[in-house]
Amino acid sequence: MALVLAASFLLRLLLAWNGGQGYWPDESRYQGSKDAVFSAMAGNWEQVGFFLLGQADHPLFRWVGLPAALGEYFFGPSPFLVSAYFSLFSVAALYLVGRVARRAGASEREAVLAVLMMAGAGSMAYFSRHYFPYDCALCCVLLALDRAVQAKSGWDSFMAGIVAAGGFLVYNGYWLLAGGVLVLHVVDARTMALAARRLMWSSLGLITGVGTFVGVAFGFGYNLVDRARANAGTITQGDFGDGARLMGEYLWWADGIWALVWAAALLVAGWQLAVRRAPRRLFWWVGGAVWLSLGLVVLSDVIPVFVVYGRLVRGLVPFLCLVAAWLVEGWLARITEARAPQAFGAVSLAAVVLACINLFPLVRQTFPVDFLRHADLEARRLQAIDGRVYRAVNAGHLWGEDLALPVPAGETVLWARHPLQYLPYQYEGFSRDQRSALRQGDPSMRLVRLQEGSLRISGPDQEGLAPYPGPLRLKVRFPAGATGRAEPLVTAGVQGAGSLIYVVYEDNAHIRLGFDNWGLGGVVSEPIGIDYGREHELMVSTGSLLPPPADTRGSRAVADLSQRLLVILDGVVVLARRMDFHPTAAADIVIGRNPIGATSARTEFTGVIAMLERISPSDMVRRLPSLPGLASQREPIWAGAVGPLKLTLHLGPIRPGLRSPLYSSRTADGGQTLWLEQMDETRIRVGLEHMAEDRVRWSEPVDVRRDRVAEVVLSLGELWPPPASPFFAEHQNWLPLASLTWVMWDRRIILRHQEIGPVGSTIDAALFRQVVPALEQKGASEFVGVGIQAETVDPDWLGGQERRLSVVLPPAAAEWDGFSGPIEFILRMPDAFPTGGMAEPVVVSGVSGAGDFVNIHYPAGGGVRIGYDHWGRREPVLSDVLDLSPGREYRFTLSAGFLFPPETSPLYQRYPEFRAAMSQVKVQIDGRTILAAEVEAHRTRPEDTLLGLNLIGGSTTSRQFSGSIRGVRGVAEPLESRGADGLIAP
């Protein structure tokens, strides 16, 4: 037995040395042990309690892992030593099987045979290299069996219950196995009184063990019962109703001929128990196997509560080995004493041969992390020779992978069997369909030299960046059918000090691009629409692709890019941010792979990189949102001015009180900055700070969504040509806009005021960057977020927004559905009335062909008339001639159908008297009704109503009111509810 145990431990050390640790996601539970140790060493006892008492799934396993975690803390990470530690429990389980056999009355030879069979079972060995609780829990169950099988007192029964509780707490899935030991312990009693005592004491031990742990956890604030109930509902991977079939398949693929031997032994033992007097221990071995088998089948196939996995079925193996050892020992006992040693030697030799057959595949296993390490070295060596694209195929866990996808065309230069080709692994959560796909396909790991594409960087090194490549342009075809995956594009650095540009496949029409800067933060773009069937141009620049900042080589462009992330897809900036980068060696820059182990993306890009070339840093800088670049898009008459702009941006991390620049300019008299200030998680405000004033003109707070891109339209006087330039001689209607500071956030004007006066000539100006030295200490030097894009805005559009009722008027109550209801404003008449009998717009609503106009008519005979023109009505409704004076201001109040929500609105259920106002128009000037008529209005949207501007055409009204409108406010009551003085009636 000592030789068997020693050989088994050496085998497990070999498996540990060959790697594989961390392949299964569930191995991460050992991290809880490490976290507890590190928290304890840091004096954070609250975190220690959370890691050791706050987890309901296999809670005692984290305690079991503490010795290994302590070793890693003091001596450094060592997967081999941790695996060797957990292997001790696997060897201890072998020893306990022999001990239980002897305790139950078996001979030493029978005990050795049981241990030898179990040592040669693949099901008992392949988990030993991984950080799993199964072997430790099995040890607890076998210890409980050891106490129960020869219990002489209530104390033995109590301790059996305690140890069984430990097995359950180490691995919850062995509750049926641990409970079966206690059930057999009670049923084996020769009298009812003894059975009752065993039931009482073993139950008390079980309850004490579980209850003590749960009670202590509850005392520290952790309700493990509720957490365990929630965890149990998540164990649904695999197939319900497949338990009986899975058990047979699993044992055959894991243990081969041993499975047939065990099945035959179980049948013979069952017959012996039924018709002959059999040793008492046989009842325990057969009873344990039958109990667990029936329990798994019933709870999976009859009452679909739990899915059966291989790790649950392996609990049968100790009992089956004990049964088979009893059968073989019975045969050996019938042989003459002289021939018995030779027979035992032959049986042992056969067991060793079967063990080699079962265990040899484990020694040959290669795991993805090791294959990728080898593949990365080989790919680098080959790429230095031919510059071709190399891709690792199937070099991952393969859970949820579609193996029916075509393998990329190319030559395989490196090959290894995938761990899942060891068939017992396929019974750990995989469904029958998934197992079928794995067996019908070829999941082997390969390094493939693709037929198309090149990773050899072309293009001249214009600014002497070698050996660094500098900014890169890639032609990329993204893979279809990869929804939900994240894959690497450009990797730089090493594990723990690297960065990664990656792609996330959002759905069949969208991707996101992301950047992960190890330990320094990251950013992900908004969804980007793409065509998976064509190539896309991707331009990337990070500080890692350039020489260190201290070695800018005299290039201003290189210095600017050395601390900047910039990603441009098909000409659109999707990621842009100033940040620090890890120092990177040029040799550690990799395309299309993730050799550094960053968890934000998989290991390989599965699309095609068809072209890779350098971009001049100067050319890359020109692609940043810049004022000179925007000015070049304007017509020559703008004379180098930029005009109003629209910025597309994504807010950065939440830092209440932080100001970051949207626009900044340094002028002869100091300069000014348009700040964005983060007020809290959901609100921002925008303010203009000018050096000539000792204050900031802040906007009202704005509610924002951080998961969305924001659009900011801004206009400042210094962005326009000078007032005396020929530009305004040609565009006089734009002159009022050039004297405004005007900011709109997501189509809502939040900041609007007159400029403080002429400013000095601009020396320097920039978007998303501070250029005023005197203001550098008041906020961030760069915009904290992502300035994605900047573009020029048509001044006519800006003027239209300035006059849009839904923009300038604060929103009414929710019941108005976005409509304003009746409005009131100050109407300043033109300084000189137009001649020729024309009309000018006051309020215009709707769209071309379906609009309504409230306008001012200027009859040829003098005076003024207010009119209402409904598109499609033959004649407008006109007021009497009014004596209104040029240049004078009047209080103008309007109620019209287009200011009210549609008739289905809940507003009319609360205020039924408002329904009549939908088909009426009423106009008051200074409280006196001067127009009232029954007339329909076209149904329209709230945002389609403009003040003093006609953008929908029509032949009865000019384009623009030549007076002015200010002080717009909502009235929210139809005019018939007003008194003669225009006030609201009580």
Side-chain angles (χ1 to χ4, degrees):
M1 186 176 293
L3 286 174
V4 173
L5 295 178
S8 297
F9 185 56
L10 289 175
L11 169 70
R12 283 154 176 77
L13 290 181
L14 178 61
L15 297 180
W17 183 260
N18 286 346
Q21 297 84 10
Y23 170 75
W24 294 98
D26 284 353
E27 292 183 71
S28 61
R29 290 190 176 91
Y30 166 64
Q31 183 64 40
S33 304
K34 295 176 66 174
D35 291 338
V37 168
F38 277 77
S39 298
M41 295 304 176
N44 190 343
W45 297 105
E46 182 178 353
Q47 284 291 91
V48 173
F50 171 76
F51 291 123
L52 295 182
L53 296 172
Q55 312 300 313
D57 55 328
H58 328 313
L60 211 56
F61 176 63
R62 293 165 179 82
W63 292 79
V64 173
L66 289 178
L70 279 168
E72 289 201 288
Y73 179 85
F74 287 110
F75 302 109
S78 177
F80 166 72
L81 291 179
V82 176
S83 287
Y85 166 73
F86 285 118
S87 294
L88 292 174
F89 295 101
S90 180
V91 177
L94 298 179
Y95 165 75
L96 287 170
V97 164
R99 175 185 167 91
V100 166
R102 294 287 286 158
R103 290 264 291 179
S107 67
E108 183 178 354
R109 187 169 60 188
E110 182 179 335
V112 171
L113 284 171
V115 174
L116 187 57
M117 291 181 192
M118 188 166 163
S123 57
M124 289 292 108
Y126 68 82
F127 278 132
S128 64
R129 73 199 324 158
H130 302 296
Y131 305 159
F132 278 140
Y134 314 138
D135 288 328
C136 179
L138 185 61
C139 284
C140 292
V141 173
L142 291 173
L143 277 172
L145 183 62
D146 180 65
R147 298 297 297 231
V149 75
Q150 283 293 340
K152 294 182 173 59
S153 65
W155 176 252
D156 287 331
S157 299
F158 179 78
M159 289 307 300
I162 286 282
V163 181
F168 165 71
L169 291 173
V170 172
Y171 175 54
N172 302 153
Y174 280 176
W175 67 273
L176 189 62
L177 184 61
V181 170
L182 301 184
V183 170
L184 292 172
H185 176 55
V186 173
V187 174
D188 184 55
R190 286 182 166 80
T191 65
M192 291 297 295
L194 180 59
R197 286 198 299 272
R198 287 184 173 183
L199 176 62
M200 179 186 70
W201 285 108
S202 61
S203 299
L204 182 61
L206 182 68
I207 294 171
T208 300
V210 176
T212 299
F213 192 91
V214 172
V216 171
F218 189 80
F220 281 86
Y222 304 109
N223 190 333
L224 296 189
V225 175
D226 288 346
R227 297 188 182 194
R229 188 181 297 116
N231 287 338
T234 65
I235 313 300
T236 57
Q237 294 174 343
D239 298 311
F240 288 104
D242 200 32
R245 184 174 179 179
L246 184 143
M247 283 193 294
E249 287 185 9
Y250 168 78
L251 290 173
W252 169 252
W253 292 119
D255 302 314
I257 295 176
W258 278 130
L260 300 179
V261 172
W262 296 334
L266 193 61
L267 289 174
V268 172
W271 179 76
Q272 286 280 77
L273 284 172
V275 302
R276 292 187 179 185
R277 182 175 180 83
R280 174 171 164 265
R281 65 181 180 277
L282 196 59
F283 164 78
W284 283 85
W285 313 154
V286 174
V290 171
W291 166 271
L292 184 58
S293 300
L294 289 178
L296 292 177
V297 171
V298 169
L299 294 176
S300 172
D301 301 3
V302 181
I303 308 172
V305 177
F306 297 106
V307 178
V308 176
Y309 302 139
R311 56 182 176 265
L312 302 179
V313 179
R314 72 195 292 265
L316 289 168
V317 173
F319 296 101
L320 295 174
C321 289
L322 288 165
V323 171
W326 164 83
L327 181 64
V328 174
E329 169 62 16
W331 172 71
L332 291 174
R334 296 188 188 94
I335 299 176
T336 62
E337 186 175 343
R339 298 180 59 187
Q342 292 88 341
F344 178 71
V347 170
S348 300
L349 180 61
V352 171
V353 171
L354 291 179
C356 291
I357 294 173
N358 286 335
L359 302 177
F360 183 66
L362 300 178
V363 180
R364 296 175 58 231
Q365 276 186 307
T366 300
F367 287 84
V369 64
D370 301 308
F371 178 82
L372 286 173
R373 188 181 298 115
H374 188 190
D376 183 56
L377 294 174
E378 184 68 6
R380 290 193 186 204
R381 184 184 70 81
L382 294 173
Q383 282 170 354
I385 298 172
D386 59 20
R388 297 287 294 280
V389 178
Y390 289 80
R391 180 191 299 167
V393 178
N394 295 336
H397 190 278
L398 298 189
W399 174 262
E401 296 290 333
D402 184 0
L403 297 178
L405 293 175
V407 175
E411 175 189 359
T412 298
V413 297
L414 197 65
W415 178 91
R417 289 177 62 83
H418 193 278
L420 286 178
Q421 290 178 282
Y422 177 62
L423 298 184
Y425 273 24
Q426 297 181 10
Y427 293 89
E428 299 303 326
F430 290 87
S431 67
R432 177 164 297 279
D433 289 342
Q434 289 172 317
R435 291 195 294 272
S436 177
L438 286 167
R439 296 173 190 184
Q440 291 175 5
D442 181 8
S444 59
M445 300 180 288
R446 283 159 286 171
L447 179 66
V448 180
R449 180 191 289 120
L450 301 188
Q451 289 182 354
E452 57 178 322
S454 171
L455 291 182
R456 176 162 286 166
I457 300 174
S458 62
D461 183 8
Q462 297 180 356
E463 302 189 41
L465 300 179
Y468 290 88
L472 296 172
R473 177 187 286 109
L474 300 82
K475 288 293 182 67
V476 180
R477 187 162 62 248
F478 297 105
T483 300
R485 292 212 307 249
E487 296 181 343
L489 293 168
V490 180
T491 307
V494 296
Q495 187 172 17
S499 61
L500 174 70
I501 295 175
Y502 60 94
V503 56
V504 180
Y505 305 110
E506 193 82 357
D507 53 38
N508 59 6
H510 296 86
I511 64 170
R512 294 178 189 257
L513 292 173
F515 180 73
D516 183 1
N517 204 11
W518 202 306
L520 300 178
V523 63
V524 181
S525 75
E526 291 295 307
I528 307 164
I530 65 159
D531 180 357
Y532 283 100
R534 70 175 182 87
E535 289 182 350
H536 295 266
E537 181 189 67
L538 182 69
M539 292 184 285
V540 299
S541 180
T542 71
S544 302
L545 301 176
L546 297 156
D551 183 16
T552 59
R553 309 188 184 186
S555 169
R556 181 175 179 180
V558 174
D560 190 32
L561 292 176
S562 65
Q563 292 185 303
R564 186 185 295 274
L565 163 71
L566 185 60
V567 179
I568 302 173
L569 183 66
D570 294 332
V572 178
V573 177
V574 294
L575 291 176
R577 178 173 290 187
R578 188 171 288 272
M579 60 173 54
D580 294 324
F581 297 89
H582 294 285
T584 302
D588 291 327
I589 297 171
V590 182
I591 308 298
R593 299 202 310 280
N594 172 20
I596 66 176
T599 57
S600 50
R602 299 159 65 92
T603 55
E604 291 284 326
F605 175 63
T606 59
V608 174
I609 299 175
M611 182 269 286
L612 178 64
E613 66 178 11
R614 288 187 176 93
I615 305 175
S616 162
S618 299
D619 184 36
M620 198 69 176
V621 168
R622 282 193 291 270
R623 297 176 183 274
L624 290 168
S626 66
L627 294 171
L630 294 167
S632 66
Q633 301 175 18
R634 293 291 193 184
E635 297 175 354
I637 195 171
W638 283 82
V642 179
L645 299 172
K646 181 171 75 172
L647 309 179
T648 306
L649 54 88
H650 196 285
L651 294 175
I654 302 167
R655 299 180 187 174
L658 176 68
R659 300 179 187 178
S660 56
L662 290 174
Y663 167 83
S664 180
S665 66
R666 183 159 52 95
T667 60
D669 62 345
Q672 58 186 353
T673 296
L674 188 66
W675 296 107
L676 184 147
E677 182 180 83
Q678 301 186 24
M679 301 182 70
D680 52 38
E681 185 174 351
T682 61
R683 294 185 308 159
I684 59 95
R685 62 177 179 172
V686 173
L688 183 68
E689 182 170 14
H690 195 287
M691 291 298 296
E693 291 187 316
D694 189 22
R695 67 188 181 101
V696 182
R697 296 176 179 267
W698 289 109
S699 73
E700 59 185 286
V702 181
D703 292 331
V704 296
R705 288 278 302 272
R706 293 183 175 274
D707 57 343
R708 293 182 179 177
V709 169
E711 287 186 354
V712 182
V713 180
L714 62 92
S715 178
L716 294 91
E718 62 188 47
L719 296 175
W720 293 79
S725 69
F727 176 84
F728 287 112
E730 184 173 331
H731 299 287
Q732 293 184 6
N733 58 314
W734 292 346
L735 186 58
L737 297 175
S739 63
L740 290 176
T741 294
W742 195 92
V743 179
M744 171 184 278
W745 185 284
D746 283 343
R747 303 228 165 198
R748 175 185 169 193
I749 297 175
I750 62 171
L751 183 65
R752 183 187 185 280
H753 64 80
Q754 292 292 126
E755 293 281 4
I756 63 171
V759 296
S761 59
T762 300
I763 300 172
D764 188 16
L767 296 172
F768 304 119
R769 183 163 57 91
Q770 177 64 267
V771 298
V772 185
L775 298 178
E776 286 181 350
Q777 303 303 317
K778 294 193 174 184
S781 59
E782 294 279 338
F783 175 66
V784 179
V786 183
I788 297 176
Q789 194 173 4
E791 56 187 288
T792 58
V793 172
D794 181 0
D796 275 339
W797 181 90
L798 184 67
Q801 301 306 307
E802 176 77 1
R803 297 168 182 265
R804 199 172 296 277
L805 182 61
S806 61
V807 170
V808 301
L809 189 66
E815 60 204 17
W816 284 87
D817 295 333
F819 288 83
S820 66
I823 58 174
E824 189 172 84
F825 49 83
I826 301 301
L827 182 77
R828 186 180 186 280
M829 299 299 291
D831 292 332
F833 290 169
T835 59
M838 66 178 299
E840 291 184 336
V842 176
V843 181
V844 179
S845 179
V847 296
S848 182
D852 295 279
F853 307 82
V854 176
N855 44 33
I856 298 181
H857 291 254
Y858 302 98
V864 167
R865 303 179 77 178
I866 304 300
Y868 180 83
D869 187 3
H870 178 72
W871 201 312
R873 183 186 175 97
R874 183 167 299 180
E875 295 291 337
V877 178
L878 295 173
S879 72
D880 295 333
V881 176
L882 306 173
D883 185 17
L884 302 182
S885 302
R888 183 178 170 183
E889 293 184 344
Y890 298 91
R891 181 158 53 95
F892 193 100
T893 310
L894 169 67
S895 176
F898 57 76
L899 299 174
F900 286 80
E903 58 185 11
T904 56
S905 171
L907 174 73
Y908 305 112
Q909 298 176 8
R910 184 174 181 182
Y911 302 106
E913 65 274 16
F914 285 8
R915 192 179 299 274
M918 294 176 58
S919 56
Q920 297 175 347
V921 58
K922 291 182 180 290
V923 176
Q924 290 181 349
I925 294 182
D926 288 343
R928 181 168 60 93
T929 301
I930 51 89
L931 179 66
E934 296 285 335
V935 61
E936 295 297 326
H938 290 289
R939 299 313 312 158
T940 184
R941 301 177 304 172
E943 57 266 32
D944 288 335
T945 300
L946 287 85
L947 301 171
L949 186 65
N950 170 24
L951 298 180
I952 66 175
S955 59
T956 62
T957 305
S958 65
R959 178 178 174 82
Q960 187 169 330
F961 178 51
S962 56
S964 63
I965 296 172
R966 65 176 180 85
V968 184
R969 71 182 187 92
V971 177
E973 287 88 9
L975 298 191
E976 58 264 26
S977 65
R978 288 172 168 266
D981 59 357
L983 299 177
I984 305 298

